[in-house]
Amino acid sequence: MALLEIKNLHAVIDGKEILKGINLTINAGEVHAIMGPNGSGKSTLCHVLGGRDGYEVTEGTITFDGHDLLEMETEERAVAGMLLGFQHPVEIPGVKNIYLLKEALNAKREAQGLDEVDTFTFMKQVRELVASMDMDDAFLHRGVNAGFSGGEKKRNEILQMLLLEPKLALLDETDSGLDIDALKVVSEGINRMRGEERGIILVTHYQRLLNYVEPDFVHVLYKGKIIKSGDKSLAHRLEAEGYQEILEEAS
Amino acid sequence: MRKELPDWLKTAMPETAAAPKAIARTAREQAETLGLPGLRDEEWRWTNLRAIQRGEFTAPTGVGADIEPSVRLPLDNPLRLRFIDGVFEGVPNDVPEGLTLTALPDADEDTRQAAFSPTPAPSVENPNDALVTLNTAMAREGVVIDVAANAVIDRPIVVEWLDGATESVMSHPRVLVRLGQSSSATLIEHIETVGEQPSWRNSVIVSTIAANAVLTHIALGLDGARRLATERTFVSLERDARYHSHNVQLGGQMIRREYDIHVGGSGAHVDLIGLMMPRGKQVLDTHTRITHAAADTTSNEHYRTIADDAGRGIFKGRILIEEDAQRIQAYQSSNNLILSDNAEIDAKPELEIYADDVSCSHGATIGRLDEEALFYLRSRGLQLDEARGLLIAGFAQEVIDEIPLVELRDWLTERVEQRLGDRDTAGNETA
Ligand SMILES: Nc1ncnc2c1ncn2[C@@H]1O[C@H](COP(=O)(O)OP(=O)(O)OP(=O)(O)O)[C@@H](O)[C@H]1O
Ligand SMILES: [Mg+2]
């Protein structure tokens, strides 16, 4: 059984159809990259998978780990093992990072029938992860993403992913705007998540990330449809030739 | 049009007041012609005194039962000044050196004169001042808090306003706070309704902060579904003096609180921080007026309101910079959160600048919970209710965090969280 199966997905925002029949299957153990020009619907796809209000699915089905995803609330999807890394992580001053991490972990544990994590174990684990992301402990006690630089926000997304160990990580442009050191740290984080039981979707504009995290499949999303899929060589072609030729081929 | 002074109020005018005779007599005459502020007075457009007008409140007859507040604030050895239905219980006997506490009627003529002559002086034209005038005419109870020069009073001075202990009582207490040069003190108003009865307290605090002295003033309006209150604070600052105000309003049926701050000496600084959380049918209203009358002075104002159910929050902040007051920095922000369709918030900043070398900013925002932030938290597995609660508490926390007393801050954080926790069952209940 596939980890994620999207069939003929159509979605509408504010009366405008953005996703126009997406088909995509992701198995555990695979890393998929989704590329495509600005405005092609990549973030929309992520938001629909995350269950954001205001995105209406008009046609199609999504199955996640055996569940009918479209029947689930955002938080149910999260505790069932989906993690959405935001293209623009939201700043929430007044809610401490450490608090969110703990609540998120406990929500997942509760869904799994486990007790709340004990503070000592939790703090130890979080500190190790913070160090591995090359972040300072002080981040834990600041408001979620509040006043973080672009790169710090993205590291924070990966930190959350590493703590929550999702079955499916959906990373929307986690690499955009990172300096090279941060990119390495983020890539290492993603590679650590990579494993037999997990699927990863990387939405990206750049081959640079894919040099560090080699995808098994690459898809090109254009005007709400996947117009071409291939292996990692497709990303190299896109980088070398741009979208034009591939768009022409597809049409 | 002003509302004429209702008969029950006219007849309640006392024979002897705490104010010096001449002041009391004038106030009494003025009060009768001024009446109560009405709906058409611009300053009272959003908050009206109908509940007071109709209230038929009577003056307290004497000290009621030995009533304690329902909560003990987490303070280190506080000096408690208890007012039950506006009646002062008397000064404690373990007053530290450098501090003098006197029941207002026992104070000498000069002191009483000072208690009833605030800076900035209230004016007969201003409808707000009708209530101050009424207080002057009616005040029989009060306390004088004197801090000697260079004295550092570590123990917080807590004025406990315990309203509603007996049937439909009104009170008009007056407090005078005088800080000598380079002294410092913390004044806390612990405001609570202790019974089921409706009550109206029209209290006035007059404070003067001498050169280089620091007054921290925290007002905590706690439980009280039927509390009506009109509260006025006058503050005047000399050179290099500082006034830190934290105003937290959670309870009460209709609370109108006003601050008049005269920044009269160069180097003086004022912080006005506030949090109001009206719900049910509560009306919580704060008006602040800061006058920068001296050069090189600064003020920083930050108010937040969270309105739920059919609650109503009002914030009006006026900053006046006088002509000769150069090199002023004045910042004001008012951020407001509306949680329900029936809730309402009015926020109005007002800047009046007559000097040319000033740095000022003000801004007001009114919004609902950020949908994107809600989605973010839910995408991390938090339930909708919890995510909402976290965002609301977080919004409040940013102003709570500015309270300098750590234990009190933590206590208030919890109190606000509890209050948000029972939001779904709140219905029409208040506070
Ligand atoms: N709330 C909205 N209302 C109307 N149109 C929207 C809304 N949100 C997104 N769109 C439109 O949907 C289309 C797809 O946007 P989306 O953000 O999914 O693109 P993207 O592929 O992620 O682009 P980028 O590479 O720039 O991140 C765009 O044309 C965008 O303008
Ligand atoms: Mg996008």
Side-chain angles (χ1 to χ4, degrees):
Chain A
M1 184 187 61
L3 180 60
L4 181 76
E5 186 148 30
I6 304 175
K7 284 188 181 155
N8 190 32
L9 180 68
H10 289 251
V12 170
I13 321 171
D14 285 344
K16 185 173 150 204
E17 184 167 69
I18 309 288
L19 301 182
K20 301 172 181 171
I22 292 195
N23 292 291
L24 184 65
T25 302
I26 291 174
N27 294 300
E30 294 174 353
V31 174
H32 291 238
I34 297 180
M35 304 179 82
N38 293 128
S40 54
K42 304 180 298 294
S43 293
T44 303
L45 175 61
C46 293
H47 285 144
V48 168
L49 289 171
R52 184 159 183 186
D53 288 342
Y55 292 70
E56 190 196 345
V57 173
T58 48
E59 236 185 294
T61 57
I62 309 174
T63 315
F64 171 57
D65 205 23
H67 308 283
D68 178 355
L69 192 76
L70 296 175
E71 287 299 309
M72 296 160 83
E73 296 288 353
T74 296
E75 54 268 40
E76 293 171 332
R77 300 178 192 203
V79 297
M82 178 183 289
L83 184 121
L84 177 55
F86 283 53
Q87 181 176 355
H88 305 290
V90 186
E91 296 203 15
I92 314 181
V95 176
K96 276 189 185 164
N97 241 333
I98 186 78
Y99 188 81
L100 173 59
L101 289 171
K102 197 166 181 194
E103 291 301 291
L105 183 59
N106 281 333
K108 184 187 153 203
R109 290 176 65 93
E110 193 187 332
Q112 293 171 333
L114 298 171
D115 286 341
E116 288 200 350
V117 62
D118 79 86
T119 306
F120 183 77
T121 318
F122 170 74
M123 285 312 295
K124 188 162 174 284
Q125 192 191 357
V126 167
R127 288 219 176 87
E128 281 166 14
L129 291 176
V130 166
S132 78
M133 291 311 294
D134 223 356
M135 291 163 81
D136 193 293
D137 274 2
F139 277 102
L140 294 171
H141 301 284
R142 283 169 59 180
V144 175
N145 296 322
F148 287 23
S149 72
E152 288 165 350
K153 285 179 184 164
K154 299 298 175 76
R155 285 181 209 224
N156 202 26
E157 296 289 283
I158 298 298
L159 174 74
Q160 295 177 15
M161 176 185 79
L162 291 170
L163 179 72
L164 297 174
E165 304 181 314
K167 286 186 190 138
L168 178 68
L170 200 59
L171 304 176
D172 190 359
E173 296 200 27
T174 305
D175 60 321
S176 292
L178 293 186
D179 61 36
I180 196 70
D181 293 333
L183 180 71
K184 280 184 190 159
V185 171
V186 161
S187 307
E188 276 164 26
I190 300 172
N191 281 328
R192 250 189 289 158
M193 267 296 98
R194 206 167 175 163
E196 283 304 301
E197 68 287 7
R198 269 186 258 283
I200 297 174
I201 299 177
L202 304 172
V203 172
T204 181
H205 286 289
Y206 307 106
Q207 171 62 38
R208 193 178 66 157
L209 170 71
L210 306 180
N211 290 336
Y212 292 96
V213 187
E214 264 196 17
D216 302 301
F217 301 92
V218 175
H219 311 275
V220 177
L221 185 64
Y222 181 66
K223 291 194 172 162
K225 276 187 181 163
I226 290 178
I227 56 159
K228 194 168 179 69
S229 297
D231 61 13
K232 64 183 180 185
S233 65
L234 178 57
H236 285 288
R237 254 194 81 194
L238 282 172
E239 179 104 330
E241 300 168 11
Y243 285 103
Q244 204 49 41
E245 203 154 318
I246 282 163
L247 295 181
E248 278 162 22
E249 258 177 52
S251 61
Chain B
M1 285 301 290
R2 306 278 164 79
K3 290 261 172 57
E4 215 188 299
L5 215 54
D7 285 339
W8 58 265
L9 203 44
K10 270 186 208 156
T11 53
M13 293 276 174
E15 285 302 315
T16 51
K21 277 206 177 61
I23 293 182
R25 194 182 324 112
T26 315
R28 199 177 157 145
E29 285 160 19
Q30 282 175 347
E32 293 198 4
T33 45
L34 285 173
L36 291 176
L39 267 184
R40 293 203 197 157
D41 286 312
E42 171 63 21
E43 293 281 304
W44 291 84
R45 208 149 50 101
W46 293 310
T47 302
N48 72 68
L49 296 180
R50 236 175 267 145
I52 291 174
Q53 192 89 25
R54 291 202 208 105
E56 301 242 348
F57 295 95
T58 54
T61 45
V63 182
D66 188 25
I67 283 163
E68 286 287 331
S70 69
V71 287
R72 192 53 63 95
L73 299 177
L75 299 170
D76 192 14
N77 200 12
L79 282 153
R80 297 173 56 202
L81 306 176
R82 221 165 19 158
F83 286 79
I84 298 165
D85 279 337
V87 177
F88 184 43
E89 196 202 31
V91 296
N93 45 26
D94 59 338
V95 177
E97 208 183 310
L99 181 68
T100 311
L101 301 172
T102 318
L104 183 63
D106 302 340
D108 59 42
E109 170 104 7
D110 284 352
T111 300
R112 285 184 293 120
Q113 174 91 24
F116 291 93
S117 318
T119 309
S123 70
V124 196
E125 288 81 53
N126 184 346
N128 295 316
D129 294 337
L131 291 161
V132 181
T133 306
L134 193 62
N135 172 287
T136 304
M138 309 272 289
R140 302 182 65 178
E141 300 280 342
V143 65
V144 179
I145 301 168
D146 274 312
V147 182
N150 299 312
V152 175
I153 310 300
D154 290 325
R155 295 173 63 185
I157 303 162
V158 185
V159 170
E160 295 178 347
W161 301 120
L162 305 179
D163 298 340
T166 43
E167 191 98 18
S168 294
V169 157
M170 68 170 160
S171 63
H172 302 266
R174 171 87 52 152
V175 174
L176 175 64
V177 183
R178 292 188 288 201
L179 268 72
Q181 185 163 321
S182 299
S183 67
S184 83
T186 299
L187 174 70
I188 297 176
E189 288 178 76
H190 173 158
I191 307 165
E192 247 196 68
T193 301
V194 287
E196 305 294 307
Q197 307 300 334
S199 61
W200 171 36
R201 176 172 36 81
N202 178 38
S203 51
V204 177
I205 298 180
V206 174
S207 47
T208 57
I209 312 176
N212 207 34
V214 186
L215 177 62
T216 301
H217 178 190
I218 301 171
L220 299 174
L222 305 176
D223 294 353
R226 307 189 68 184
R227 179 168 72 249
L228 306 170
T230 46
E231 302 168 345
R232 186 83 176 254
T233 298
F234 293 92
V235 183
S236 81
L237 293 94
E238 290 178 10
R239 267 187 42 220
D240 302 316
R242 271 163 294 151
Y243 175 65
H244 306 293
S245 160
H246 300 267
N247 171 25
V248 179
Q249 297 296 334
L250 306 178
Q253 178 183 333
M254 192 285 293
I255 310 296
R256 164 72 166 240
R257 196 171 167 89
E258 299 186 23
Y259 291 86
D260 287 86
I261 297 163
H262 186 82
V263 191
S266 68
H269 174 79
V270 171
D271 287 312
L272 298 182
I273 314 292
L275 174 66
M276 297 186 279
M277 297 180 66
R279 68 178 189 188
K281 291 180 177 170
Q282 287 179 278
V283 178
L284 301 179
D285 177 356
T286 300
H287 283 214
T288 67
R289 288 174 287 272
I290 304 174
T291 303
H292 286 274
D296 299 298
T297 53
T298 50
S299 65
N300 173 36
E301 183 163 24
H302 187 189
Y303 263 75
R304 290 196 166 187
T305 307
I306 302 171
D308 203 352
D309 306 325
R312 192 142 199 219
I314 297 125
F315 170 75
K316 187 168 170 188
R318 178 165 183 254
I319 298 173
L320 175 100
I321 301 181
E322 291 186 350
E323 200 178 336
D324 296 330
Q326 302 294 358
R327 298 173 305 279
I328 303 298
Q329 283 182 21
Y331 300 110
Q332 183 192 83
S333 67
S334 156
N335 305 117
N336 303 287
L337 193 54
I338 292 199
L339 300 179
S340 103
D341 289 339
N342 295 322
E344 199 178 321
I345 294 178
D346 299 286
K348 193 172 172 203
E350 255 182 27
L351 274 178
E352 240 179 279
I353 305 177
Y354 298 102
D356 43 38
D357 183 7
V358 299
S359 160
C360 275
S361 71
H362 66 97
T365 60
I366 300 182
R368 295 190 162 253
L369 277 184
D370 180 0
E371 286 298 327
E372 213 180 345
L374 270 181
F375 177 58
Y376 188 83
L377 293 175
R378 294 175 73 193
S379 78
R380 298 312 186 238
L382 276 60
Q383 302 278 332
L384 176 60
D385 277 355
E386 189 187 1
R388 283 181 62 105
L390 265 184
L391 288 182
I392 302 166
F395 184 82
Q397 194 60 38
E398 283 185 78
V399 271
I400 294 175
D401 274 343
E402 305 208 33
I403 291 179
L405 308 179
V406 181
E407 285 84 17
L408 191 63
R409 185 161 76 211
D410 293 346
W411 179 85
L412 202 57
T413 299
E414 243 176 70
R415 182 101 184 177
V416 165
E417 271 166 16
Q418 268 171 24
R419 190 180 149 93
L420 293 170
D422 56 34
R423 122 168 242 282
D424 290 328
T425 53
N428 284 327
E429 170 232 6
T430 51

Coordinates of all heavy atoms in Angstrom, one line a residue, chain B residues 99-125:
Chain B
L99 N 8.2 55.4 55.2 CA 6.9 55.4 54.7 C 5.9 55.9 55.8 O 6.1 55.5 56.9 CB 6.5 54.0 54.3 CG 5.1 53.8 53.7 CD1 4.9 54.5 52.3 CD2 4.7 52.3 53.6
T100 N 5.0 56.8 55.4 CA 4.0 57.3 56.3 C 2.7 57.1 55.7 O 2.4 57.5 54.6 CB 4.2 58.8 56.6 OG1 5.6 59.0 57.0 CG2 3.3 59.2 57.8
L101 N 1.8 56.4 56.5 CA 0.4 56.2 56.0 C -0.5 56.9 56.9 O -0.4 56.8 58.2 CB 0.1 54.7 56.0 CG 1.0 53.8 55.1 CD1 0.7 52.3 55.3 CD2 0.9 54.2 53.6
T102 N -1.4 57.7 56.4 CA -2.4 58.4 57.2 C -3.8 58.3 56.6 O -3.9 58.4 55.4 CB -2.0 59.9 57.2 OG1 -0.6 60.1 57.3 CG2 -2.7 60.7 58.3
A103 N -4.8 58.0 57.5 CA -6.1 58.0 57.0 C -6.4 59.5 56.6 O -6.1 60.4 57.3 CB -7.1 57.6 58.1
L104 N -7.1 59.6 55.4 CA -7.3 61.0 54.8 C -7.9 62.0 55.8 O -7.5 63.1 55.9 CB -8.0 60.8 53.5 CG -8.2 62.1 52.8 CD1 -6.9 62.8 52.3 CD2 -9.1 61.9 51.5
P105 N -9.0 61.6 56.5 CA -9.6 62.6 57.4 C -8.7 63.0 58.5 O -8.9 64.1 59.0 CB -10.9 61.8 57.9 CG -11.1 60.7 57.0 CD -9.7 60.3 56.5
D106 N -7.7 62.2 58.8 CA -6.8 62.6 59.9 C -5.7 63.4 59.4 O -4.9 63.9 60.3 CB -6.2 61.3 60.6 CG -7.3 60.4 61.1 OD1 -8.4 60.9 61.3 OD2 -7.0 59.2 61.3
A107 N -5.5 63.6 58.1 CA -4.4 64.4 57.6 C -4.6 65.9 57.8 O -5.7 66.3 58.0 CB -4.2 64.1 56.1
D108 N -3.4 66.6 57.9 CA -3.5 68.0 58.1 C -4.1 68.7 56.9 O -4.2 68.2 55.8 CB -2.2 68.6 58.5 CG -1.1 68.4 57.4 OD1 -1.5 68.6 56.2 OD2 0.0 68.0 57.8
E109 N -4.5 70.0 57.1 CA -5.2 70.8 56.1 C -4.4 70.8 54.7 O -4.9 70.6 53.7 CB -5.4 72.2 56.6 CG -6.0 73.2 55.6 CD -7.5 73.4 55.7 OE1 -8.1 72.9 56.7 OE2 -8.0 74.1 54.9
D110 N -3.0 71.1 54.8 CA -2.2 71.2 53.6 C -2.2 69.9 52.8 O -2.3 69.9 51.6 CB -0.8 71.5 54.0 CG -0.6 72.9 54.4 OD1 -1.6 73.7 54.2 OD2 0.5 73.3 54.9
T111 N -2.2 68.8 53.6 CA -2.2 67.5 52.9 C -3.5 67.2 52.2 O -3.6 66.8 51.1 CB -1.9 66.4 53.9 OG1 -0.6 66.6 54.5 CG2 -1.9 65.0 53.3
R112 N -4.6 67.6 52.9 CA -5.9 67.4 52.3 C -6.1 68.3 51.1 O -6.6 67.9 50.1 CB -7.0 67.5 53.4 CG -7.0 66.3 54.3 CD -8.2 66.4 55.3 NE -7.9 67.5 56.3 CZ -8.8 68.5 56.4 NH1 -9.9 68.6 55.7 NH2 -8.5 69.4 57.3
Q113 N -5.5 69.5 51.3 CA -5.5 70.4 50.1 C -4.8 69.7 48.9 O -5.3 69.7 47.8 CB -4.8 71.7 50.5 CG -4.5 72.7 49.5 CD -5.7 73.7 49.4 OE1 -6.4 73.9 50.4 NE2 -5.9 74.3 48.2
A114 N -3.7 69.1 49.2 CA -2.9 68.5 48.1 C -3.7 67.3 47.5 O -3.7 67.1 46.3 CB -1.6 68.0 48.6
A115 N -4.4 66.6 48.3 CA -5.1 65.4 47.8 C -6.2 65.8 46.9 O -6.6 65.0 46.0 CB -5.7 64.6 49.0
F116 N -6.7 67.0 47.1 CA -7.8 67.5 46.2 C -7.4 68.5 45.2 O -8.3 69.2 44.6 CB -9.0 68.0 47.1 CG -9.6 66.9 47.9 CD1 -9.2 66.5 49.2 CD2 -10.6 66.1 47.3 CE1 -9.8 65.4 49.8 CE2 -11.2 65.0 47.9 CZ -10.8 64.7 49.2
S117 N -6.1 68.7 45.0 CA -5.6 69.6 44.0 C -4.6 68.9 43.0 O -3.4 69.2 43.1 CB -4.9 70.8 44.6 OG -5.6 71.2 45.8
P118 N -5.1 68.0 42.2 CA -4.2 67.3 41.3 C -3.6 68.2 40.2 O -4.2 69.2 39.9 CB -5.1 66.2 40.7 CG -6.5 66.8 40.8 CD -6.5 67.6 42.0
T119 N -2.5 67.7 39.7 CA -1.9 68.2 38.5 C -2.0 67.1 37.5 O -1.6 66.0 37.8 CB -0.4 68.6 38.6 OG1 -0.3 69.4 39.8 CG2 0.1 69.3 37.4
P120 N -2.5 67.3 36.3 CA -3.1 68.5 35.8 C -4.5 68.7 36.4 O -5.2 67.8 36.8 CB -3.3 68.2 34.3 CG -3.4 66.7 34.2 CD -2.5 66.2 35.3
A121 N -4.8 70.0 36.6 CA -6.1 70.3 37.3 C -7.2 69.9 36.4 O -7.2 70.2 35.2 CB -6.1 71.8 37.6
P122 N -8.2 69.3 37.0 CA -9.4 69.0 36.2 C -10.2 70.3 35.9 O -10.0 71.3 36.7 CB -10.3 68.2 37.2 CG -9.6 68.1 38.5 CD -8.3 68.8 38.4
S123 N -10.9 70.4 34.8 CA -11.5 71.6 34.5 C -13.0 71.4 34.4 O -13.5 70.3 34.2 CB -11.1 72.1 33.1 OG -11.6 71.2 32.1
V124 N -13.8 72.4 34.7 CA -15.2 72.3 34.7 C -15.8 72.0 33.4 O -16.8 71.4 33.2 CB -15.9 73.6 35.3 CG1 -17.3 73.3 35.7 CG2 -15.1 74.1 36.5
E125 N -15.1 72.4 32.3 CA -15.6 72.2 30.9 C -15.5 70.7 30.5 O -16.3 70.3 29.7 CB -14.7 73.0 29.9 CG -15.0 74.5 30.0 CD -14.1 75.1 31.1 OE1 -12.9 74.9 31.1 OE2 -14.7 75.8 31.9

